[in-house]
Amino acid sequence: MTRESTETLAPMANAIRALAMDAVQAANSGHPGMPMGMADVATVLWTKFLKHDPSAPKWSDRDRFVLSAGHGSMLIYALLHLTGYEAPTMDNIRNFRQLTSPCAGHPENFLLEGVECTTGPLGQGVAMAVGMAMAERHLNAQFGDELVDHKTWVVAGDGCLMEGLNHEAIGLAGTLKLGRLNVLWDDNKITIDGDTSLSTTEDILGRYTASGWHVTSCDGHDFADIERALAEADADPRPSLVACHTVIGKGAPNKQGGHNVHGSPLGADEIAAAREYLGWTAAPFEIPADILANWRAAGASGKSVREAWEARAAGNAKAAELARRMSGELPADTGYDAYVQSLIANPPKVATRKSSEMALEALTAKVPEMVGGSADLTGSNNTKTKSTAPFTPDSYDGRYVYYGIREFGMAAAMNGMALHGGVIPYGGTFLMFSDYCRNAVRMSALQHQRVVYVFTHDSIGLGEDGPTHQPVEHVMSLRMIPNLLVFRPADAIETAEAWALALANKDRPSVLALTRQNLPPVRFDAEMKSAKGAYRLVSAEAARKVVLLATGSEVALAMDVAAALEAKGIGADVVSVPCWELFEEQHADYRADLLPADTLKVSIEAGVTLGWQKYVGDGLTIGIDTFGASAPAEVLFEHFGLTTDKIVPQILSRIS
Amino acid sequence: MTRESTETLAPMANAIRALAMDAVQAANSGHPGMPMGMADVATVLWTKFLKHDPSAPKWSDRDRFVLSAGHGSMLIYALLHLTGYEAPTMDNIRNFRQLTSPCAGHPENFLLEGVECTTGPLGQGVAMAVGMAMAERHLNAQFGDELVDHKTWVVAGDGCLMEGLNHEAIGLAGTLKLGRLNVLWDDNKITIDGDTSLSTTEDILGRYTASGWHVTSCDGHDFADIERALAEADADPRPSLVACHTVIGKGAPNKQGGHNVHGSPLGADEIAAAREYLGWTAAPFEIPADILANWRAAGASGKSVREAWEARAAGNAKAAELARRMSGELPADTGYDAYVQSLIANPPKVATRKSSEMALEALTAKVPEMVGGSADLTGSNNTKTKSTAPFTPDSYDGRYVYYGIREFGMAAAMNGMALHGGVIPYGGTFLMFSDYCRNAVRMSALQHQRVVYVFTHDSIGLGEDGPTHQPVEHVMSLRMIPNLLVFRPADAIETAEAWALALANKDRPSVLALTRQNLPPVRFDAEMKSAKGAYRLVSAEAARKVVLLATGSEVALAMDVAAALEAKGIGADVVSVPCWELFEEQHADYRADLLPADTLKVSIEAGVTLGWQKYVGDGLTIGIDTFGASAPAEVLFEHFGLTTDKIVPQILSRIS
């Protein structure tokens, strides 16, 4: 691209400003400050650097653009419209923040192509971009420069940099030397509460330098200086932070530079003043033809680049495999069937974290797009397999990430990897520390991404580490996140099933809650029973009076309880419930058959009982509604009443 | 204190090592690496710098010592025992990690005096220490050097520094210039997965410098060098990081320096080798008399310092007020009664976030120990009052903290402030971002601390910001955390009651889930009804067939539904349920009276329905089990079926 003059670029940037202020005004809600402040920077990026083709938004070798400061959503809606994406239309923009428009308050990846990820929860855009840059380098290492050779560009605000997550994300990026990641920081010295100096005195460039980043600055309203800084960032082999010195709300003559322009409409008077200040005479939601033509030309310039890529791909033997991985389709043989047969031949008595490792050994050998890792608990989460060599700056083809003690950074990076496509990320930590990354788990679900969370040490069964490490409320509270599959498997076969289902569900994330302690096998058949979420594991022999529902480590306990009841002539089913969400999706008849009305239903799970009333009604809920304690696991199960001796009398008192 | 020779200190440090390795071995579980590695540093700190009196562990002007790397719990158990605290006894240490011992796997503030906070969840110890240092400066500004003049010392590991939370904590400490905070970093180059270089290449000292900290380093096994570094940290007016270069597991000749010594018993052979290497001939759990005498002398030296303080306090007019605040007792008049009367006189139609601000205006005027703040959402959370001037480096007597965009850092700092005592911290963010600080909320509850979380924008009622900002699962999932009061008040009076109850509950934290949107008043009386957690707000006029249970913004909706039912001759109670946890604590008769068996029970809450089955049984649960959407609030309530027109037919179909 040639260097255009300020005379060309300035009106193009003003088109962004006009759309932002008019859309926010029409909605009477939204954030004009950031789009107006970053309009100049975005114009340079989208006309001179960003590799994309609006006519093929899913082209795999496009650059990824992440608007980490998602509240400034009008910036990306304007850019997509102006450069010629099919959506959003001007009507969509006119209906910004209304139920009928894909131009939601914050950008949503599932509403618009070109929105690479959903942003708004601060810090996560940058952290997802780290994952995208990791996926790019990984696929580049596996498929070569001819097929995979793109960059990741981020626009971030002060909030994204102040969040703790930023430390994790940039530490990971610096360590992994992700030089194709460039973060454009909207350095406007303003947060919602006022000047940034109210709450921070940090030398941000110093911090990024300490994390192994290249840093530079520019005047965010000087097109030539912006171009100089972006070129520098582009060229440097380290990840880059560009501090763009901007005026928030630039163009609103009376309000710019103040925190009141951040998150409220400018108002009719100020918009009129801004039109005059900017020399913008077009009516709201109208873009003068010459300005639009310049934008469309910039957008169209990517087409030939994409076509050249397609020509290269047509002659590249690896292109089909890349396409398969990018499509999200699994290989025909995932290794699952043979592995389950091996379990049936030799049912192991192991912890489900170990079962998970065994399943992963089989699956990672056959599913090359699986990329694992752990937040510094590799040996405890059992996430590393022989097929997954370390992913390092010297070997991006590796499939195992040492994420460090960065749970939130790991989860957000995995979202970015999944959003990029071509990889299926999984990563481990203790279930307790799902708290540290909980919003990223939610963002996996909201964004419909196949990310697999390996959360081990899932109850008091972890023993001596005590209540800070013993999840009590976690399994149930994860079940409350929409569109998330939460598996708590009971043995090696259920764990294998959970893994198979997690991989098969292309459009949603899964959690595997796994034990530290060994569990006996309870399943000896290959029928994929976990697919129904719950199933009858043991049928009553005597006349059925009791149905025991249990998950994970408590399934074997439920079987003992059932046997004790049967010994007294009381018939008891045992229903294993590895996944509530899948059970909810079954036909009502199936659910009713498992939970017959004329029985005492009893739930047994080593966690909070709140929630189980959904299935047991006014039956019994056996669980733990307090914090745990520090002691060996068997002592704790006794202490908290999770033993056959403690449970059977409670059931007898209810059915006598 | 005079400078002792290495000959005296080395055996004292080895006493720590011996207790650590023997206790872990006896428990067959635990972490010997850190206590052995940091034994020399801890010995210098506890003999030459730490101001404390083992005979008066709650003396308010003691230095606070925080073992942020809580897995190394044997370090503090050894130190407390050796310096002469009443507990732990040697028997307690011998029973390390057993149910009967206060020497839990991780240190718990509620099990041992001298354990200033519960640690284990990485990063939180440092962040709580920031809060302790804030409380110290605040009380110093209010009560003077004579009464409040102490320091906060932290031992932290690589994990505590790598967690994102660390960025938030040190940014806050640097901005607030908390010079009395000193962090001793166990710089041993090892994490669980292996060398730190596996996952980080950060220049940690550079990062701390960029955050406004003083940094220095020392040889963590050279007593003179340790003393030099700690003295430097002590003297510098900035918060200090001391990088203590240590060998993990120092003293175990074959295992030291490797990651295998981190979290497993050394084994009998290595312990024998360590005894020889250290020249430690005493039997397990025996400390030679001369070494113990040196430790006890170091501990006893604090007594005269404490007595001198008591003498000063006896003559200080402010001492009684400080004692009251440190005791946690509220002033006789909190301003609550008069404020509620003013509401009855003029019932306002405002958002509950506004009601909260009004309550805070009244309460903060009368309760000087309340210290508020927000994670950069002051104007949205409505947390600032006229009585609370900013807390800044120039005015530590201020009572309002601009926490910045640091939700987790804020929550952890509030825990530290509450643990320090003398202040009642409250702080705001959007309810969505309770996800970002969830584990700190849990830690408030586990540690029995009175911290008040002001979580506004509590449902789709926030409107256009869309699903990234609309809590759906959050209220219910917070209810699952043990020992946490979750209030969702319906109007100004219930909000006032929630505040009064949050303050009155000295030993547990509270969450206030508050609306963005205006709500009509539903209460016009001063009886403290929220204290029972749920109460009958409207009694059926026609024969009662329906009981509607609702919280917060849906209480007024439930009243509309009830009126519509009554118009059809169907009697309906409305039960407001502002706090589930308090309702659970009521007598069974009270609960049964509110939820009579012969009625259709219907819950209405703009969040997930899972959980409500506990109260409605097989009745109706009206709520939102998917993510939200971006649109004006009233459009969303209609879209998600939370209107009288949508709810009444569902009820009719169930009772016809």
Side-chain angles (χ1 to χ4, degrees):
Chain A
M1 281 179 269
T2 62
R3 178 150 172 186
E4 285 137 301
S5 67
T6 296
E7 288 70 49
T8 308
L9 295 174
M12 293 171 76
N14 286 340
I16 296 171
R17 293 189 172 95
L19 287 174
M21 67 185 184
D22 289 335
V24 171
Q25 188 69 21
N28 194 27
S29 161
H31 300 76
M34 197 281 261
M36 297 180 76
M38 283 295 278
D40 299 328
V41 173
T43 298
V44 174
L45 174 63
W46 279 61
T47 58
K48 295 174 182 281
F49 291 91
L50 193 73
K51 179 172 81 169
H52 69 131
D53 178 0
S55 71
K58 290 294 183 194
W59 170 34
S60 68
D61 202 35
R62 70 191 182 279
D63 285 358
R64 267 56 171 184
F65 173 77
V66 171
L67 187 72
S68 190
H71 52 274
S73 55
M74 268 309 303
L75 181 66
I76 190 164
Y77 301 149
L79 289 164
L80 293 174
H81 178 79
L82 293 168
T83 55
Y85 282 74
E86 195 175 319
T89 65
M90 194 60 90
D91 251 11
N92 296 153
I93 290 175
R94 200 177 277 118
N95 287 301
F96 177 54
R97 294 186 153 233
Q98 307 308 307
L99 199 54
T100 52
S101 173
C103 295
H106 291 80
E108 310 284 5
N109 68 305
F110 50 90
L111 293 180
L112 282 174
E113 293 187 328
V115 173
E116 302 287 357
C117 56
T118 292
T119 48
L122 290 177
Q124 290 190 61
V126 176
M128 287 190 280
V130 171
M132 292 177 190
M134 290 166 67
E136 193 273 343
R137 282 296 86 188
H138 178 65
L139 294 172
N140 171 273
Q142 299 213 329
F143 291 94
D145 288 345
E146 200 170 77
L147 292 180
V148 182
D149 181 18
H150 54 272
K151 291 163 186 172
T152 304
W153 300 90
V154 184
V155 166
D158 288 296
C160 289
L161 272 55
M162 209 185 300
E163 288 286 0
L165 174 57
N166 188 262
H167 168 49
E168 300 185 12
I170 73 167
L172 192 57
T175 301
L176 294 174
K177 299 187 167 61
L178 300 174
R180 285 156 171 265
L181 172 64
N182 299 307
V183 175
L184 315 183
W185 165 34
D186 181 16
D187 180 16
N188 60 22
K189 315 279 188 209
I190 291 291
T191 70
I192 291 175
D193 274 0
D195 287 0
T196 50
S197 61
L198 260 183
S199 57
T200 182
T201 52
E202 181 191 327
D203 166 15
I204 289 178
L205 298 185
R207 178 168 67 92
Y208 271 71
T209 301
S211 294
W213 284 53
H214 159 253
V215 299
T216 185
S217 301
C218 68
D219 176 343
H221 302 301
D222 176 329
F223 293 102
D225 200 39
I226 296 166
E227 184 172 358
R228 188 265 317 148
L230 297 196
E232 196 184 304
D234 202 20
D236 196 278
R238 293 162 292 178
S240 290
L241 177 76
V242 182
C244 305
H245 304 309
T246 61
V247 175
I248 189 169
K250 172 80 176 178
N254 307 301
K255 291 193 168 180
Q256 65 187 13
H259 67 112
N260 292 328
V261 80
H262 167 83
S264 307
L266 297 181
D269 291 350
E270 182 69 1
I271 286 179
R275 281 192 142 67
E276 184 160 338
Y277 180 91
L278 297 171
W280 189 264
T281 55
F285 307 110
E286 283 179 18
I287 307 296
D290 56 331
I291 297 172
L292 185 61
N294 284 336
W295 268 117
R296 289 288 154 89
S301 70
K303 190 172 185 188
S304 59
V305 182
R306 195 252 308 164
E307 287 169 346
W309 179 89
E310 287 184 345
R312 289 198 304 277
N316 189 307
K318 291 179 169 177
E321 172 65 5
L322 176 63
R324 180 193 69 76
R325 292 197 200 171
M326 292 299 298
S327 77
E329 296 299 329
L330 295 172
D333 177 14
T334 62
Y336 171 77
D337 294 330
Y339 170 61
V340 169
Q341 290 306 324
S342 77
L343 291 177
I344 292 170
N346 287 297
K349 179 178 176 174
V350 293
T352 47
R353 62 173 171 150
K354 179 68 182 172
S355 302
S356 172
E357 181 184 353
M358 292 158 57
L360 281 170
E361 283 290 359
L363 295 167
T364 57
K366 298 281 190 179
V367 185
E369 58 267 41
M370 291 179 74
V371 175
S374 168
D376 195 48
L377 289 169
T378 295
S380 298
N381 301 143
N382 299 59
T383 34
K384 187 155 182 337
T385 68
K386 293 184 194 72
S387 304
T388 55
F391 175 89
T392 71
D394 301 323
S395 55
Y396 287 128
D397 63 333
R399 294 168 55 199
Y400 193 83
V401 184
Y402 288 103
Y403 284 103
I405 303 156
R406 304 182 178 106
E407 298 82 7
F408 201 178
M410 173 178 74
M414 291 200 295
N415 282 338
M417 293 161 82
L419 285 155
H420 179 281
V423 297
I424 303 175
Y426 70 89
T429 185
F430 290 154
L431 177 57
M432 175 58 69
F433 301 114
S434 64
D435 280 357
Y436 277 47
C437 58
R438 186 172 167 91
N439 201 265
V441 176
R442 185 181 209 265
M443 291 294 283
S444 307
L446 178 60
Q447 297 181 96
H448 307 284
Q449 295 304 306
R450 176 171 49 185
V451 173
V452 188
Y453 294 94
V454 180
F455 289 151
T456 69
H457 296 59
D458 74 343
S459 78
I460 55 163
L462 65 87
E464 293 89 344
D465 274 346
T468 55
H469 284 58
Q470 290 163 356
V472 171
E473 71 276 23
H474 296 74
V475 168
M476 192 65 80
S477 71
L478 287 166
R479 289 180 183 134
M480 304 209 151
I481 298 178
N483 201 39
L484 171 66
L485 299 178
V486 181
F487 293 94
R488 190 163 187 257
D491 72 354
I493 287 190
E494 276 198 5
T495 304
E497 290 175 340
W499 267 111
L501 291 163
L503 294 182
N505 275 270
K506 283 174 60 175
D507 298 328
R508 50 182 165 174
S510 295
V511 161
L512 274 66
L514 304 171
T515 66
R516 173 175 187 256
Q517 74 274 24
N518 286 342
L519 301 180
V522 298
R523 278 278 303 285
F524 306 92
D525 63 293
E527 187 187 341
M528 169 50 103
K529 292 178 176 170
S530 296
K532 295 196 167 172
Y535 61 93
R536 189 172 290 120
L537 177 65
V538 175
S539 292
E541 293 186 15
R544 183 174 62 197
K545 291 190 177 174
V546 175
V547 174
L548 301 161
L549 295 95
T551 74
S553 48
E554 286 67 65
V555 171
L557 171 59
M559 292 172 74
D560 284 346
V561 170
L565 293 171
E566 295 279 356
K568 295 176 191 296
I570 299 163
D573 283 359
V574 175
V575 173
S576 180
V577 195
C579 181
W580 284 38
E581 297 77 18
L582 293 176
F583 183 50
E584 285 297 306
E585 293 170 8
Q586 303 310 306
H587 193 280
D589 293 346
Y590 179 79
R591 288 185 282 137
D593 176 66
L594 285 193
L595 303 170
D598 57 344
T599 56
L600 174 73
K601 285 171 279 294
V602 180
S603 66
I604 311 178
E605 185 172 69
V608 293
T609 57
L610 177 57
W612 275 107
Q613 294 84 5
K614 177 166 188 172
Y615 296 130
V616 308
D618 60 358
L620 271 175
T621 54
I622 310 285
I624 304 174
D625 289 315
T626 63
F627 292 112
S630 173
E634 59 275 22
V635 175
L636 292 173
F637 278 99
E638 177 76 28
H639 178 70
F640 286 104
L642 289 165
T643 61
T644 304
D645 287 350
K646 296 257 176 89
I647 294 170
V648 168
Q650 295 179 66
I651 295 173
L652 293 178
S653 76
R654 285 292 296 270
I655 58 174
S656 62
Chain B
M1 280 178 270
T2 61
R3 177 146 173 194
E4 284 137 301
S5 68
T6 295
E7 286 72 49
T8 307
L9 295 176
M12 292 171 76
N14 287 340
I16 296 171
R17 294 189 171 96
L19 287 174
M21 68 186 184
D22 289 335
V24 170
Q25 187 68 21
N28 195 27
S29 161
H31 300 75
M34 197 281 261
M36 296 179 77
M38 284 295 278
D40 297 328
V41 173
T43 298
V44 173
L45 174 64
W46 280 61
T47 58
K48 293 171 184 283
F49 291 90
L50 192 74
K51 179 171 81 169
H52 69 132
D53 178 359
S55 72
K58 291 294 181 192
W59 170 34
S60 68
D61 202 36
R62 70 191 182 278
D63 285 359
R64 268 52 171 188
F65 173 77
V66 172
L67 186 72
S68 190
H71 53 272
S73 55
M74 268 311 303
L75 181 66
I76 190 164
Y77 301 148
L79 289 163
L80 293 174
H81 178 80
L82 292 168
T83 55
Y85 282 75
E86 194 175 319
T89 64
M90 193 59 89
D91 251 10
N92 296 153
I93 291 175
R94 200 176 278 118
N95 286 301
F96 178 54
R97 292 184 156 234
Q98 308 307 306
L99 199 54
T100 52
S101 173
C103 296
H106 291 80
E108 310 284 3
N109 68 304
F110 50 88
L111 294 180
L112 282 174
E113 294 188 327
V115 173
E116 302 287 357
C117 56
T118 291
T119 49
L122 291 177
Q124 290 191 63
V126 175
M128 288 190 279
V130 171
M132 292 178 190
M134 290 167 68
E136 192 273 343
R137 281 298 85 187
H138 178 66
L139 294 172
N140 172 273
Q142 299 213 328
F143 292 93
D145 288 346
E146 200 171 79
L147 292 180
V148 182
D149 181 18
H150 55 273
K151 291 165 185 169
T152 305
W153 300 89
V154 184
V155 165
D158 289 295
C160 288
L161 271 56
M162 210 186 298
E163 289 285 359
L165 173 57
N166 188 262
H167 168 48
E168 301 186 13
I170 73 167
L172 192 58
T175 301
L176 294 174
K177 298 189 167 63
L178 301 174
R180 285 159 171 263
L181 172 64
N182 299 306
V183 175
L184 316 184
W185 164 34
D186 181 16
D187 181 15
N188 61 24
K189 313 283 187 207
I190 292 290
T191 70
I192 291 174
D193 274 359
D195 286 0
T196 51
S197 62
L198 261 182
S199 58
T200 183
T201 52
E202 180 191 328
D203 166 15
I204 289 177
L205 298 185
R207 177 167 69 92
Y208 271 72
T209 301
S211 294
W213 283 54
H214 159 254
V215 298
T216 186
S217 301
C218 68
D219 176 341
H221 302 301
D222 176 329
F223 292 103
D225 200 39
I226 296 166
E227 183 172 358
R228 189 263 318 147
L230 296 196
E232 197 185 303
D234 201 20
D236 196 278
R238 294 163 292 178
S240 292
L241 177 75
V242 182
C244 305
H245 304 309
T246 61
V247 175
I248 189 170
K250 173 80 175 179
N254 307 301
K255 292 193 170 182
Q256 65 187 14
H259 67 111
N260 291 327
V261 80
H262 167 83
S264 307
L266 297 181
D269 290 351
E270 182 69 2
I271 287 180
R275 283 193 141 68
E276 184 159 337
Y277 180 92
L278 298 170
W280 188 265
T281 54
F285 308 110
E286 283 180 17
I287 307 296
D290 56 330
I291 298 172
L292 185 61
N294 284 336
W295 268 118
R296 289 287 155 90
S301 69
K303 190 171 186 189
S304 59
V305 182
R306 195 252 308 165
E307 287 170 345
W309 179 90
E310 288 186 343
R312 290 197 304 278
N316 190 306
K318 292 179 169 178
E321 172 64 5
L322 176 63
R324 181 193 68 76
R325 292 198 200 171
M326 292 299 298
S327 77
E329 295 300 329
L330 295 172
D333 176 14
T334 63
Y336 171 76
D337 293 331
Y339 170 62
V340 168
Q341 291 305 326
S342 77
L343 292 177
I344 291 170
N346 288 297
K349 178 179 175 172
V350 293
T352 46
R353 62 174 172 150
K354 179 69 182 171
S355 302
S356 172
E357 181 183 353
M358 293 158 58
L360 282 170
E361 283 291 358
L363 295 167
T364 57
K366 297 281 191 180
V367 185
E369 58 266 42
M370 291 178 74
V371 175
S374 167
D376 195 48
L377 289 168
T378 294
S380 299
N381 300 143
N382 299 57
T383 33
K384 188 155 181 340
T385 68
K386 293 183 195 75
S387 304
T388 54
F391 175 89
T392 71
D394 301 323
S395 56
Y396 287 129
D397 62 333
R399 292 168 55 198
Y400 192 82
V401 183
Y402 288 103
Y403 284 104
I405 303 157
R406 304 182 179 106
E407 297 83 7
F408 201 179
M410 173 177 75
M414 291 201 294
N415 282 338
M417 294 162 83
L419 285 156
H420 179 281
V423 297
I424 303 175
Y426 70 89
T429 184
F430 289 154
L431 177 57
M432 175 58 69
F433 301 115
S434 65
D435 280 356
Y436 277 48
C437 57
R438 186 172 167 92
N439 199 264
V441 177
R442 184 183 211 263
M443 291 293 284
S444 306
L446 178 60
Q447 295 180 99
H448 307 284
Q449 294 305 306
R450 177 171 50 185
V451 173
V452 189
Y453 294 93
V454 181
F455 290 150
T456 69
H457 295 60
D458 74 344
S459 77
I460 56 164
L462 64 87
E464 294 89 344
D465 274 346
T468 54
H469 284 57
Q470 290 163 356
V472 171
E473 72 277 21
H474 297 74
V475 169
M476 192 64 81
S477 70
L478 287 166
R479 289 180 182 134
M480 304 209 151
I481 297 177
N483 201 39
L484 171 67
L485 299 178
V486 180
F487 293 94
R488 190 162 186 257
D491 73 354
I493 287 191
E494 276 198 6
T495 305
E497 291 176 338
W499 267 111
L501 291 163
L503 294 182
N505 276 270
K506 284 174 58 176
D507 297 327
R508 50 183 168 176
S510 295
V511 161
L512 274 65
L514 304 170
T515 67
R516 172 176 187 257
Q517 74 274 26
N518 286 344
L519 301 181
V522 299
R523 278 278 304 284
F524 307 91
D525 63 293
E527 187 187 341
M528 168 49 102
K529 293 179 176 168
S530 296
K532 293 194 168 172
Y535 61 92
R536 188 174 288 122
L537 176 65
V538 176
S539 291
E541 294 187 11
R544 183 175 60 196
K545 291 190 178 173
V546 175
V547 174
L548 300 160
L549 295 96
T551 74
S553 49
E554 285 68 64
V555 171
L557 172 59
M559 292 171 74
D560 284 347
V561 171
L565 293 171
E566 295 278 356
K568 294 177 189 296
I570 298 164
D573 283 359
V574 175
V575 174
S576 181
V577 195
C579 182
W580 284 36
E581 297 76 17
L582 293 176
F583 183 50
E584 285 296 306
E585 293 171 7
Q586 303 309 306
H587 192 281
D589 292 347
Y590 179 79
R591 288 184 283 138
D593 177 65
L594 285 193
L595 304 169
D598 57 343
T599 57
L600 175 72
K601 285 170 280 293
V602 180
S603 65
I604 311 178
E605 186 173 67
V608 292
T609 57
L610 178 57
W612 276 106
Q613 294 83 5
K614 177 166 187 170
Y615 295 131
V616 308
D618 59 357
L620 270 173
T621 54
I622 310 285
I624 303 174
D625 289 314
T626 63
F627 292 112
S630 174
E634 59 274 23
V635 175
L636 292 174
F637 278 100
E638 177 76 26
H639 178 71
F640 287 104
L642 289 165
T643 62
T644 304
D645 288 350
K646 296 257 175 90
I647 293 171
V648 169
Q650 297 179 65
I651 295 172
L652 294 178
S653 77
R654 285 292 297 268
I655 59 175
S656 62

